[in-house]
Amino acid sequence: MSYGMPAEQPQSEVPVCPRHPDRISYVRCQRCGRPTCPECQRTAAVGIQCVECVKEQARNLPAYRTAYGGAVTTGRPVVTLTIIALCVAIYILQWVLPGVIQANLVYAPLYTAQIPGLPFEPWRMITAGFLHSTGLLLHIAFNMYALWIFGQHLEPLLGRLKFVALYLLSIWGGSVAVLLLGEINQGVVGASGGVFGLFTTLLIVQLQRKQDVRGILVLIGINIVISFFPGISWQAHIGGMVTGALAAAAIAFVPRGDKQQRLQWAGLAGIAVLLVVLTWIGSLMVTLPQ
């Protein structure tokens, strides 16, 4: 009797990592059962899991938010520190390149006037909020100190995106007030509009929480008086305060729920539209001195 060649026994498939097919892995994810190489392994409460399962679980976790819709974060106030860093860096550049910085970033109503022959540069309404007087160190020192004190409290409460939106709207509102109430050549610099917006934001938050507001009212009162000292743009301060109050109200008085985020951003967008309209109206009102 002749026998043929013995049949080859099927070899078991060698397990490889789906993300790195060139790597053999005998460790499997405790959740999905797929092989996972050391680079893709993540330690979990139930053992080793793969990267994909960890990401999927993170996506399915509920987003924890503050009463004002801000995502709960830990650590340092990133936006506040970034704004401070930008202001300090630009302040240094004002000393190094004084002509270049002042000529391109400072704001005055003439830069948004609808007058033939004059430049129309509305972005200066925001960029001026990152400049400070080089002749008075106290100017930037006070603004950065106030920004740090109020920012580290309000940023995690409102959420990073809404905080930066409120801050920039307040700076813009301060410039709009200068446009409507100032002289055509009244140049302004400083983060005061944004800082004053944070003053009234804290006031609105404390009112909404039914907390004692006497301390913040005294602070606002003192700064309003200082605003009318010579060499200070009271228009920018008042404009920033009013805009900040409106933006804070649009955030603080929206009840929690599925529509909270949409309603808050709709309110902030409405304030931005109002500032666009006021900027356009103000630009038509500017006239050259006789």
Side-chain angles (χ1 to χ4, degrees):
M1 177 180 290
S2 62
Y3 294 92
M5 295 296 293
E8 293 184 2
Q9 296 296 324
Q11 295 182 353
S12 58
E13 184 179 353
V14 177
V16 295
C17 177
R19 298 180 76 241
H20 303 96
D22 59 326
R23 302 178 187 177
I24 298 175
S25 177
Y26 292 97
V27 177
R28 293 182 178 271
C29 173
Q30 296 297 312
R31 190 164 183 264
C32 68
R34 291 177 296 186
T36 176
C37 69
E39 184 178 338
C40 298
Q41 294 171 12
R42 300 293 184 268
T43 303
V46 295
I48 299 297
Q49 292 188 4
C50 65
V51 174
E52 286 76 10
C53 286
V54 171
K55 289 182 178 178
E56 183 180 351
Q57 285 180 304
R59 286 194 297 267
N60 294 330
L61 285 175
Y64 295 101
R65 295 188 176 276
T66 68
Y68 302 103
V72 175
T73 57
T74 58
R76 297 182 177 182
V78 176
V79 173
T80 300
L81 289 172
T82 301
I83 294 173
I84 292 174
L86 282 173
C87 289
V88 172
I90 293 175
Y91 187 72
I92 294 173
L93 286 176
Q94 285 180 254
W95 285 97
V96 177
L97 303 169
V100 175
I101 300 299
Q102 294 292 117
N104 292 279
L105 300 181
V106 71
Y107 175 70
L110 65 88
Y111 292 111
T112 44
Q114 294 290 323
I115 300 176
L118 292 182
F120 186 72
E121 300 174 351
W123 59 84
R124 290 173 178 264
M125 303 180 87
I126 301 296
T127 59
F130 293 87
L131 275 66
H132 289 84
S133 172
T134 54
L136 184 63
L137 184 61
L138 187 62
H139 187 210
I140 187 172
F142 170 79
N143 280 341
M144 295 304 99
Y145 176 74
L147 178 57
W148 169 247
I149 295 298
F150 286 85
Q152 65 178 326
H153 176 70
L154 292 172
E155 180 182 332
L157 195 63
L158 305 181
R160 290 171 179 170
L161 288 178
K162 285 194 284 286
F163 176 80
V164 72
L166 182 146
Y167 183 79
L168 293 178
L169 285 173
S170 298
I171 289 178
W172 187 4
S175 296
V176 168
V178 173
L179 172 62
L180 295 174
L181 304 173
E183 302 295 331
I184 187 171
N185 292 316
Q186 181 182 349
V188 294
V189 294
S192 300
V195 170
F196 273 67
L198 299 184
F199 288 169
T200 49
T201 296
L202 183 59
L203 174 63
I204 295 296
V205 167
Q206 289 184 331
L207 287 172
Q208 194 273 337
R209 290 179 158 187
K210 297 180 173 57
Q211 296 178 340
D212 188 358
V213 297
R214 287 176 293 183
I216 187 63
L217 284 175
V218 170
L219 178 63
I220 291 174
I222 292 173
N223 280 277
I224 288 177
V225 172
I226 294 175
S227 298
F228 290 92
F229 283 13
I232 298 177
S233 174
W234 63 268
Q235 300 94 334
H237 291 186
I238 301 302
M241 288 178 62
V242 172
T243 306
L246 292 175
I251 295 172
F253 291 107
V254 175
R256 302 185 74 167
D258 295 337
K259 297 182 179 180
Q260 183 186 37
Q261 294 288 320
R262 290 195 295 270
L263 291 175
Q264 288 173 333
W265 283 111
L268 294 176
I271 295 171
V273 171
L274 175 62
L275 293 177
V276 169
V277 172
L278 291 176
T279 299
W280 184 256
I281 293 173
S283 69
L284 297 174
M285 294 170 54
V286 177
T287 57
L288 291 172
Q290 299 297 323

